[in-house]
Amino acid sequence: MLFKQQALLRQKLFVLGSLAIGSLLYLVARVGSLDRLQPLCPIDGRFGPRSQDEIPLRAMQFKRGLLHEFRKGNATKEQIRLHNLVQQLPKAIIIGVRKGGTRALLEMLNLHPAVVKASQEIHFFDNDENYAKGIEWYRKKMPFSYPHQITIEKSPAYFITEEVPERIYKMNSSIKLLIIVREPTTRAISDYTQVLEGKERKNKTYYKFEKLAIDPNTCEVNTKYKAVRTSIYTKHLERWLKYFPIEQFHIVDGDRLITEPLPELQLVEKFLNLPPRISQYNLYFNATRGFYCLRFNIVFNKCLAGSKGRIHPEVDTSVITKLRKFFHPFNQKFYQITGRTFKWP
């Protein structure tokens, strides 16, 4: 009888101990997420006055889920109204550069609880048909957000399209503009690689990079090739400077964003007058993928699409040398205009 009582007592203690451990683990997980759930500071500067009601991250995560449901047609307009969500025109735009890391930059900035991103490239300012639909059409393409948050969109074609600077200026002459660049030759090869992959998926043939980048008649760099033209950053920037002062631009180092993203993101936070919120906790290196992934909280992680980080084809070294020599004077001028120097060959 005593043996049975002891066995029953041990069983009860085991159950109580399991419950205690389970509760402890829950509290640890809860506390681990609470540091991301603190009320965020309101945005300073030109993004508007301080808000009386600071929105915690949990509310913003709920808002994102609500928006997803709204887009699927599962949430009502009344729910959107009750949560004080609005569709705002962007206060900052990532205008380029194609294959410089625009998607990575947008997704990483979305880690900040005061930033809301447009998921798709809108192509409003560079597409005549879209632009003709008017600014309200553009606004309705924006995600829902709290009034104190800032909306950011990215369309890398904006940087090289002639009409875009004037069109954006007419919308908001004080908007903040983000340009992310990589070493010009590497960027051109990456541009080619993306197009090549698209051709291969459709079982189409495509010229080698060398044949496109070098004019066969002159044996000089082919400036008519779009991938080459896009990498002449200073030519495009000069067009933007006719409408916006250099202070409204921030240049992001796309190569550094791959290897050491946090310092680059902190510079962008400062440029956008955002309180510092993105930390090393939010970024972890994925050895399998070969680049950094994003950690929003203890539950939700995200890596960029598998199409990112494509392996570049082998390119003749003499062509690479010729391209780097060609880009060099343009790079030097770009450094002078922007005040930022890169270690490009």
Side-chain angles (χ1 to χ4, degrees):
M1 183 69 176
L2 179 62
F3 177 79
K4 288 184 178 179
Q5 288 177 340
Q6 289 175 337
L8 183 60
L9 179 61
R10 283 196 298 270
Q11 185 177 7
K12 289 181 177 179
L13 289 172
F14 175 79
V15 172
L16 290 171
S18 299
L19 289 172
I21 291 171
S23 299
L24 181 61
L25 289 174
Y26 171 78
L27 288 172
V28 169
R30 182 80 172 153
V31 170
S33 62
L34 282 177
D35 63 341
R36 294 283 293 154
L37 302 179
Q38 298 302 316
L40 58 92
C41 295
I43 301 167
D44 297 324
R46 66 180 55 179
F47 293 134
R50 290 180 176 273
S51 171
Q52 295 294 324
D53 301 315
E54 296 179 344
I55 308 300
L57 178 60
R58 166 168 290 187
M60 205 194 96
Q61 289 171 335
F62 175 77
K63 185 277 304 176
R64 284 175 174 163
L66 188 62
L67 171 58
H68 180 65
E69 292 301 308
F70 182 70
R71 283 179 170 169
K72 291 194 304 180
N74 297 335
T76 66
K77 291 184 179 181
E78 180 65 13
Q79 286 177 301
I80 296 294
R81 186 188 66 78
L82 287 174
H83 287 88
N84 197 30
L85 300 177
V86 292
Q87 286 172 295
Q88 304 183 80
L89 291 173
K91 294 187 176 72
I93 301 179
I94 301 172
I95 58 174
V97 176
R98 171 182 163 93
K99 305 312 300 175
T102 57
R103 173 56 60 182
L105 177 60
L106 183 68
E107 296 293 343
M108 289 178 178
L109 288 178
N110 194 48
L111 289 165
H112 198 293
V115 170
V116 183
K117 69 178 177 69
S119 297
Q120 303 297 323
E121 293 179 8
I122 309 300
H123 290 286
F124 177 65
F125 298 102
D126 66 309
N127 183 299
D128 292 341
E129 185 177 339
N130 287 343
Y131 190 68
K133 295 175 182 177
I135 202 72
E136 282 307 307
W137 178 89
Y138 181 54
R139 186 196 300 273
K140 290 178 181 178
K141 292 292 182 180
M142 294 299 127
F144 284 89
S145 62
Y146 291 111
H148 80 279
Q149 292 174 316
I150 67 169
T151 297
I152 297 180
E153 77 124 322
K154 75 103 174 173
S155 294
Y158 289 168
F159 186 60
I160 63 170
T161 306
E162 290 189 14
E163 299 83 3
V164 171
E166 182 179 6
R167 289 174 175 180
I168 291 182
Y169 181 84
K170 287 179 178 178
M171 177 190 75
N172 181 359
S173 62
S174 63
I175 197 165
K176 296 206 170 189
L177 303 165
L178 293 162
I179 304 173
I180 180 167
V181 295
R182 296 188 67 193
E183 191 277 314
T185 301
T186 302
R187 194 223 63 82
I189 295 172
S190 181
D191 197 327
Y192 166 83
T193 304
Q194 178 170 294
V195 176
L196 175 65
E197 184 180 279
K199 297 285 186 182
E200 289 175 342
R201 280 200 304 266
K202 297 176 182 178
N203 294 318
K204 293 183 178 181
T205 58
Y206 196 50
Y207 292 113
K208 291 186 68 175
F209 176 79
E210 292 87 340
K211 189 169 184 178
L212 294 168
I214 304 299
D215 188 323
N217 297 318
T218 64
C219 292
E220 296 300 325
V221 172
N222 179 16
T223 56
K224 293 181 180 180
Y225 178 38
K226 187 176 180 179
V228 168
R229 287 202 317 274
T230 300
S231 284
I232 308 175
Y233 304 138
T234 185
K235 290 289 187 183
H236 305 293
L237 182 58
E238 285 172 344
R239 186 187 317 114
W240 284 85
L241 291 173
K242 293 177 182 177
Y243 295 91
F244 300 96
I246 193 63
E247 292 77 20
Q248 282 178 233
F249 296 87
H250 178 72
I251 310 301
V252 179
D253 186 341
D255 295 308
R256 191 185 185 202
L257 193 72
I258 296 171
T259 60
E260 197 180 0
L262 184 57
E264 285 299 315
L265 294 173
Q266 290 172 335
L267 289 173
V268 178
E269 283 181 323
K270 185 176 180 180
F271 172 71
L272 296 178
N273 295 327
L274 293 171
R277 287 293 181 271
I278 302 174
S279 69
Q280 198 60 59
Y281 168 84
N282 302 117
L283 302 159
Y284 67 95
F285 186 75
N286 186 314
T288 303
R289 301 293 299 277
F291 49 80
Y292 280 85
C293 293
L294 316 178
R295 181 186 291 116
F296 287 84
N297 52 49
I298 198 168
V299 176
F300 182 46
N301 298 343
K302 180 178 182 178
C303 286
L304 297 178
S307 60
K308 305 301 178 183
R310 296 180 180 89
I311 297 175
H312 293 179
E314 291 283 339
V315 177
D316 190 295
T317 54
S318 66
V319 171
I320 291 176
T321 301
K322 188 182 286 286
L323 283 168
R324 286 176 173 170
K325 184 178 180 181
F326 168 80
F327 287 127
H328 182 75
F330 297 110
N331 295 342
Q332 295 301 309
K333 191 170 184 181
F334 186 70
Y335 301 160
Q336 292 172 0
I337 293 173
T338 62
R340 184 157 194 188
T341 302
F342 300 94
K343 297 178 181 178
W344 296 337

